[in-house]
Amino acid sequence: MIKTAIIAAVKAGQRIKEIYDKFDNEKDTDYTKDTIVTYKSDNSPLTLADKEANKIIEKHLKPLGLPILSEEGKIIPYAERKNWGKFWLIDPLDGTREFVKRNGNFTVNIALMENNMPVVGVIYVPVSGVLYVGEIGKNSYKQTLNMKNEVENELDVAEKTLIEVSQRKNQDGIIAFKSRSHSNAKDNNYLDRFNVKEIRKKGSSVKFCLLAEGVADLYYRNGTTMEWDSAAGEAILKAAGGKIINAETNTPLKYNKENLENPSFCAMNALIYEDF
């Protein structure tokens, strides 16, 4: 089941990369901003890449028999999904704004949910070919894939590197992430409680992955995110020894709520969490 989700994420990412490489190429009128970018009612962008990736993921996951809740899929009423025991929670293209800005900071997110908590996370970064996988109770790892090779074979031969969160403590001075496209003054107010020596900005769920491999130590996010934005990253981070909390209540994030919006949250390594 997990292998199928991984294959789905990578193949969706390959299709996204194909579109990204042609996007806004003046010689290719089928892939200009006007032809592949539309806007939702909340003014957030939706691209051909989002739609194509969603089709690929659903094609691979549907035969497994579990329900699918996707940002780009059909709306599932709460009355129908509230009693789901296990389901897939996916964001076919997380960081669509980054895709449109052409900075490479976008990912494919797939989470396996059990009892409304992420237990497996798969995040693929199409531009770099880096894959992150985490399974609660086991571990998290990364692979760098050769996107020119056949996916199944490449997954078997590419080296897997186990990843863990950093061991830096707050008093040592920490590295914190902020959102590239959604930062505001409230971020600084929250981060003032920590001994932050450096702030970096990144887009999409790749921030969870970089926390999981110890590149940074903390990531605070204020403002609207959805459950599919955080679920896969949460599983990868936790399996690597990290923590994530509701920044308003200091309690775990909740999933499969009637309203799928996340509260503000803070993800961090275990040592910072212990002193929090």
Side-chain angles (χ1 to χ4, degrees):
M1 182 176 285
I2 297 175
K3 182 70 173 289
T4 301
I6 293 170
I7 292 170
V10 175
K11 288 190 173 181
Q14 288 179 324
R15 179 61 179 137
I16 291 170
K17 182 67 163 50
E18 289 175 0
I19 297 171
Y20 182 73
D21 287 344
K22 296 178 180 179
F23 180 42
D24 263 2
N25 181 338
E26 293 180 0
K27 296 180 181 179
D28 196 331
T29 56
D30 291 332
Y31 289 89
T32 64
K33 187 172 182 179
D34 290 339
T35 57
I36 76 163
V37 182
T38 58
Y39 289 86
K40 303 178 187 179
S41 58
D42 63 357
N43 206 36
S44 61
L46 174 65
T47 72
L48 175 65
D50 294 80
K51 299 172 186 177
E52 294 279 303
N54 192 66
K55 290 177 184 177
I56 291 169
I57 294 170
E58 290 195 349
K59 178 182 176 181
H60 282 81
L61 296 186
K62 279 183 176 179
L64 299 177
L66 295 180
I68 297 173
L69 184 59
S70 170
E71 179 178 16
E72 309 307 343
K74 69 174 184 177
I75 298 174
I76 310 294
Y78 181 64
E80 179 180 339
R81 59 180 167 81
K82 67 179 181 180
N83 294 319
W84 285 353
K86 294 177 72 173
F87 65 98
W88 299 105
L89 183 56
I90 67 177
D91 189 345
L93 176 53
D94 181 38
T96 303
R97 293 183 189 277
E98 316 307 327
F99 179 97
V100 173
K101 293 176 182 177
R102 299 194 54 73
N103 61 30
N105 286 186
F106 49 86
T107 59
V108 179
N109 300 351
I110 300 179
L112 176 62
M113 309 294 292
E114 188 168 345
N115 298 321
N116 293 332
M117 291 300 295
V119 295
V120 174
V122 178
I123 293 179
Y124 182 64
V125 188
V127 169
S128 65
V130 178
L131 170 73
Y132 296 88
V133 180
E135 185 172 1
I136 300 297
K138 293 190 177 181
N139 55 48
S140 290
Y141 67 86
K142 65 183 286 190
Q143 288 179 284
T144 300
L145 307 180
N146 184 338
M147 292 175 287
K148 295 180 181 179
N149 293 339
E150 197 274 331
V151 172
E152 288 83 346
N153 290 341
E154 181 65 14
L155 289 170
D156 290 336
V157 301
E159 181 181 1
K160 292 182 180 179
T161 303
L162 294 181
I163 58 175
E164 294 182 343
V165 295
S166 74
Q167 298 300 305
R168 284 183 288 269
K169 298 180 180 179
N170 187 50
Q171 58 263 37
D172 298 330
I174 64 172
I175 300 170
F177 272 130
K178 292 168 61 174
S179 172
R180 181 184 291 273
S181 296
H182 302 277
S183 299
N184 56 43
K186 191 172 181 180
D187 294 16
N188 294 330
N189 293 337
Y190 189 88
L191 291 174
D192 281 346
R193 71 184 69 185
F194 300 97
N195 182 22
V196 178
K197 66 178 182 181
E198 181 182 350
I199 292 177
R200 300 177 183 175
K201 289 189 176 183
K202 283 280 185 181
S204 80
S205 62
V206 74
K207 295 185 287 294
F208 290 107
C209 301
L210 295 175
L211 251 66
E213 61 178 313
V215 172
D217 313 299
L218 182 142
Y219 162 40
Y220 170 67
R221 176 61 192 268
N222 169 59
T224 302
T225 62
M226 305 299 288
E227 293 183 7
W228 42 70
D229 294 319
S230 61
E234 177 170 341
I236 292 167
L237 178 64
K238 284 184 174 179
K243 302 287 185 180
I244 182 169
I245 57 171
N246 179 325
E248 298 165 5
T249 63
N250 297 339
T251 57
L253 292 185
K254 296 180 179 179
Y255 288 89
N256 201 19
K257 307 181 300 296
E258 184 169 7
N259 182 340
L260 294 168
E261 288 187 10
N262 283 327
S264 59
F265 60 78
C266 188
M268 64 195 84
N269 73 26
L271 294 178
I272 297 173
Y273 178 78
E274 288 175 5
D275 292 336
F276 187 71

